[in-house]
Amino acid sequence: MVSPPTLDEIATSDLTPLERELALASFGSNPPHAQTGVAADNPHLEAWRARLDGLRTRNAIAKPLRACGRLTRAAGLVLEAVGLRLSVGSEVMIELPPGSTLAMAEAEVVGFAGDRLFLMPTTEVHGLLPGARVFALESAPVEDPMTGAKRLPVGWGLLGRVLDASGKPLDDLGPLAAVDDAPLTAPTINPLHREPIHKVLDVGVRAINALLTVGRGQRMGLFAGSGVGKSVLLGTMARYTSAEVIVIGLIGERGREVKEFIEQILGKEGLARSVVVAAPADVSPLLRMQAAAYATSLAEYFRDQGKHVLMLMDSLTRYAMAQREIALAVGEPPATKGYPPSVFAKLPALVERTGNGPAGGGSITAFYTVLTEGDDQQDPIADSARAILDGHIVLSRVLAEAGHYPAIDIEASISRAMNALIDDKHLEKTRMLKQMLSRYQRNRDLINVGAYTSGRDALLDRAIALYPRIEAFLQQGYRECAPYDASLKALGSLFTEGG
């Protein structure tokens, strides 16, 4: 044990005057013995040591100070707070009064003006008081290029599960068996690094396989009004597609439709290889947008594992409406039919995350439903989606009301990648069918009233003869599977036997 220095040693050492003075003052009135170097009893020193030990103990168990702000305004969907400096997208907790269902309400920073933060709550805020304390929600540091981004669970253990927008299970099947997490946002992929669309994806629907052929990595839109059969068509594709993994995002739909879609439309067969993310219409617009981003993150995870993914999102319009609610609430001016400019910037940012990855890897084939208000195909969201997607499938209310399923309007639909996927013989058969169908539809009224007499138009005569067979070809039971090869064979025999 090293003995403390004596007064002689301190006096003769190479200490600065200030250091020597402090060393001498530390001995108090009872300095160590000059000859032995052994410290005598010093009650003052012992008292200070005991006090310092007590302070160290208290400091070890004390909680660190948390910076907090104060709520200054609550108007509509937006809350305003001061006293914090946070980035857009940060999460905060807002103190609720005693007796509330929850101790804290959750919110997200969606904008700022000067020193005021604009917050959008993601949970119930009933009972919120003026001046309530606002705390920044600290997240654990992660070693990732997207440091600071919100991360939610991903992994193979999520197959067969139904989750909410925050990655929490809704199906009462116990905790998630996820082994990883991923950010809600992802870096953009260099377009020159993406593999071209050159392989067909079988979706199990005869009209799409034969006449609107879809390739792996293609992004398609299902355009229709309400009640025309979009969800049923998505369920048919989910059950019978050749994709290895299916990710389904139910965004902004009615709450009762979630269970109906899973149990009646998707079924156990489709759910077994699917992950369903549900954010009904009654949740916060932030959570509706988050659910769409989360579904896309899940699809990206499976694509990065080398799998071919089919992503079905119902609907892209509800995603745009959620962004409109947020943008208008924070003061962004409306532009096109009430939609702020940020809506039309968010849509391509979401859609471009899907598609093919680098050559030799996986793919995400995406189908987005687009709700056309009043069956108006010139709705601003429908028009914008049509421009950024690789094709569109239009569902007709007239066909749906006539009991024609799937109610696909072949003349108004197109697959932009189809020509690169099929051979010349298949393309010619498709062109002939569309030609026959178009000629019959243009003269339908004349034919129905008997104003047309056979022999006046050879092409129309052939269209009239083939129409019953074409109509039967385009129809399919929603629990009937029509593989790609069988669809091509049926298309070829349609003209061979029909003359």
Side-chain angles (χ1 to χ4, degrees), residues 49 68 102 126 155 169 200 218 239 351 363 385 477 483 488 497 499:
R49 284 177 176 172
C68 73
L102 299 173
H126 182 71
V200 174
Q218 191 170 348
R239 282 196 304 271
V351 170
S363 65
L488 294 191
E497 299 175 14

Side-chain angles (χ1 to χ4, degrees), residues 30 78 205 311 322 327 363 391 432 448:
N30 198 1
V78 175
V205 179
M311 191 179 80
S363 65
M432 289 174 61
N448 289 340

Side-chain angles (χ1 to χ4, degrees), residues 118-131:
F118 298 146
L119 312 177
M120 183 77 68
T122 56
T123 59
E124 181 59 50
V125 293
H126 182 71
L128 202 60
L129 294 175

Side-chain angles (χ1 to χ4, degrees), residues 18 49 214 378 399:
L18 179 60
R49 284 177 176 172
V214 176
Q378 303 307 315
L399 293 176

Side-chain angles (χ1 to χ4, degrees), residues 249-329:
L250 302 178
I251 314 299
E253 296 300 318
R254 292 180 290 274
R256 68 168 183 83
E257 288 188 337
V258 175
K259 187 172 183 179
E260 290 181 2
F261 181 89
I262 294 170
E263 295 183 354
Q264 301 177 17
I265 299 176
L266 185 60
K268 293 182 179 180
E269 180 183 357
L271 182 61
R273 53 176 174 158
S274 304
V275 183
V276 180
V277 180
D282 60 342
V283 303
S284 163
L286 271 176
L287 291 180
R288 278 177 264 153
M289 293 191 63
Q290 182 172 304
Y294 183 31
T296 307
S297 295
L298 286 167
E300 289 173 328
Y301 171 82
F302 293 118
R303 177 186 64 188
D304 293 343
Q305 304 299 313
K307 300 299 180 182
H308 300 294
V309 183
L310 175 65
M311 191 179 80
L312 309 174
M313 187 172 292
D314 187 14
S315 70
L316 193 64
T317 305
R318 305 298 187 194
Y319 173 83
M321 289 181 173
Q323 172 60 23
R324 178 175 66 176
E325 291 180 39
I326 297 171
L328 293 177

